[in-house]
């Protein structure tokens, strides 16, 4: 069959259609992997298969970019948000699968999500959009992989996460902090964030502000990720020295003892953090607090 004669189209249309066609073959391959790899959860895969074809996998990038014009000024409707979030949920399945994760990255699909993470509106449609986008990135970092971390650092995911950590809902803050935590736990990520004072203080400053806010509205789940981030920063010599002057007092004075009462792991992380930064022996009290004993 002979191809049809080409028509003149706008550059934006060509760009978007290129994204669709370029992603289409990848998406069909990813869908095949996702639907056929694990027979033990056949029902889930069949549901994904039906949903994937009903939304048409070939059109996912087009579905995503179609709402870019309503991001600024913020005019996103609940219906538009729900529709794109359904597409993002499918992408999260692809990002989670070990056989498709790197293909997903090589196609640079996460870049389609970055404009959503750059929004600041606190309305529910935007918050839902940010949270679902973060879920896709969270699926990428859940399994330790330096190539994934390097890609996210190269494409500057850290400022976007910090923005959400500063102004998002509790759940969005938790997912964004988890992503930063996973980046820090990779040696490449820790080195990157501690390479300049600007990067370090940007991260440490947001974490500190979150600790201050949690003193008034505690969240054990969010606090756990923040403490783990501080602990990892303290494992870098220069960062540890800086933390002596900028780590929040509320992490030192037992403010969160009751919040961490049942979380032995996080209490031990905090104990190790205080030991690294303050050079003290820190004993966990029976009630969840800390006894700090100076050396010597």
């Amino acid at each position: 069959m002979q191809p049809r004669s080409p028509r003149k189209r706008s550059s934006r249309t060509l760009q978007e259609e290129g994204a669709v066609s370029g992603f289409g073959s990848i998406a069909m391959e990813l869908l095949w992997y996702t639907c056929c790899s694990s027979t033990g959860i056949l029902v889930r895969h069949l549901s994904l298969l039906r949903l994937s074809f009903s939304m048409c996998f070939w059109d996912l990038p087009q579905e995503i970019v179609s709402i870019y014009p309503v991001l600024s000024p913020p005019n996103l409707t609940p219906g538009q948000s729900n529709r794109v979030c359904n597409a993002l949920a499918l992408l999260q399945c692809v990002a989670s699968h070990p056989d498709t994760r790197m293909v997903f990255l090589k196609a640079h699909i996460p870049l389609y999500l970055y404009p959503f993470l750059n929004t600041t509106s606190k309305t529910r449609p935007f918050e839902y959009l940010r949270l679902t986008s973060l879920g896709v990135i969270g699926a990428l970092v859940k399994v330790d992989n330096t190539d994934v971390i390097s890609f996210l650092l190269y494409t500057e995911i850290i400022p976007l996460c910090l923005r959400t950590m500063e102004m998002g809902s509790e759940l969005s803050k938790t997912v964004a902090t988890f992503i930063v935590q996973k980046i820090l736990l990779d040696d490449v990520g820790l080195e990157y964030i501690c390479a300049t004072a600007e990067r370090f203080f940007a991260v440490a400053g947001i974490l500190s502000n979150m600790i201050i806010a949690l003193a008034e509205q505690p969240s054990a789940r969010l606090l756990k990720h923040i403490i783990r981030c501080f602990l990892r920063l303290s494992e870098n010599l220069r960062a540890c020295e800086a933390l002596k002057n900028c780590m929040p007092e509320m992490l030192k004075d037992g403010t969160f003892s009751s919040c961490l009462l049942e979380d032995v792991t996080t209490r031990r992380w905090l104990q190790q953090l205080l030991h690294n930064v303050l050079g003290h022996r820190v004993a966990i009290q029976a009630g969840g607090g800390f006894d700090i004993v100076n050396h010597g």
Side-chain angles (χ1 to χ4, degrees):
M1 183 173 63
Q2 293 297 323
R4 289 180 294 181
S5 299
R7 296 178 299 167
K8 285 188 176 181
R9 295 187 177 101
S10 67
S11 59
R12 178 179 176 184
T13 300
L14 288 172
Q15 181 181 8
E16 292 175 356
E17 289 190 356
V20 173
S21 61
F23 183 66
S25 59
I26 295 172
M28 295 306 292
E29 179 185 354
L30 300 183
L31 179 60
W32 174 258
Y33 274 121
T34 306
C35 292
C36 299
S37 60
S38 303
T39 57
I41 47 176
L42 180 59
V43 173
R44 176 185 170 191
H45 289 322
L46 288 175
S47 298
L48 175 61
L49 183 62
R50 288 194 299 269
L51 181 58
S52 298
F53 279 103
S54 67
M55 288 191 63
C56 190
F57 236 122
W58 298 76
D59 291 336
L60 281 178
Q62 178 72 47
E63 191 75 52
I64 291 172
V65 302
S66 68
I67 67 165
Y68 285 177
V70 298
L71 298 181
S72 181
N75 292 311
L76 183 66
T77 67
Q80 290 171 320
S81 178
N82 288 338
R83 187 173 178 86
V84 173
C85 286
N86 286 337
L88 294 177
L90 292 177
L91 291 183
Q92 183 170 339
C93 294
V94 174
S96 301
H97 201 285
D99 291 333
T100 58
R101 185 179 298 113
M102 296 313 298
V103 182
F104 183 81
L105 276 186
K106 288 177 182 178
H108 288 190
I109 302 304
L111 298 182
Y112 285 98
L113 281 56
Y114 286 13
F116 303 153
L117 298 177
N118 202 35
T119 59
T120 57
S121 173
K122 294 186 179 182
T123 62
R124 183 170 295 183
F126 277 94
E127 179 58 32
Y128 186 31
L129 187 62
R130 281 191 298 269
L131 178 59
T132 312
S133 299
L134 287 167
V136 178
I137 306 301
L140 284 173
V141 301
K142 197 169 184 180
V143 177
D144 298 334
N145 187 314
T146 298
D147 289 337
V148 171
I149 300 302
S150 297
F151 173 87
L152 294 175
L153 290 173
Y154 176 75
T155 55
E156 299 190 349
I157 191 64
I158 293 291
L160 297 175
C161 286
L162 294 181
R163 180 188 293 271
T164 299
M165 291 161 64
E166 193 171 28
M167 50 73 63
S169 67
E170 179 189 326
L171 187 53
S172 290
K173 287 180 179 180
T174 302
V175 179
T177 308
F178 169 76
I179 293 170
V180 172
Q181 172 188 319
K182 294 296 288 185
I183 290 173
L184 280 168
L185 288 176
D186 189 279
D187 288 342
V188 170
L190 180 63
E191 182 179 353
Y192 176 89
I193 290 176
C194 296
T196 68
E198 181 181 8
R199 291 176 190 166
F200 166 78
F201 283 110
V203 173
I206 294 295
L207 292 172
S208 297
N209 291 339
M210 294 171 74
I211 286 291
I212 294 171
L214 285 179
E216 298 181 2
Q217 295 182 326
S219 167
R221 178 173 53 180
L222 180 53
L223 180 62
K224 178 176 185 174
H225 294 304
I226 296 173
I227 289 175
R228 189 64 186 94
C229 286
F230 271 122
L231 175 57
R232 180 59 170 162
L233 286 172
S234 73
E235 294 171 9
N236 177 277
L237 291 178
R238 287 190 299 172
C240 187
E241 191 65 27
L243 286 174
K244 293 179 180 180
N245 297 316
C246 70
M247 193 170 74
E249 288 294 325
M250 293 169 182
L251 289 178
K252 309 173 189 176
D253 62 11
T255 296
F256 298 106
S257 294
S258 59
C259 186
L260 299 177
L261 190 59
E262 312 243 340
D263 191 339
V264 176
T265 299
T266 305
R267 292 210 316 270
R268 292 199 178 278
W269 285 347
L270 181 55
Q271 178 187 28
Q272 185 62 49
L273 170 62
L274 295 176
H275 172 77
N276 291 353
V277 174
L278 303 178
H280 296 151
R281 293 194 309 273
V282 185
I284 301 178
Q285 299 175 345
F290 297 93
D291 277 335
I292 299 178
V293 183
N294 290 326
H295 284 297

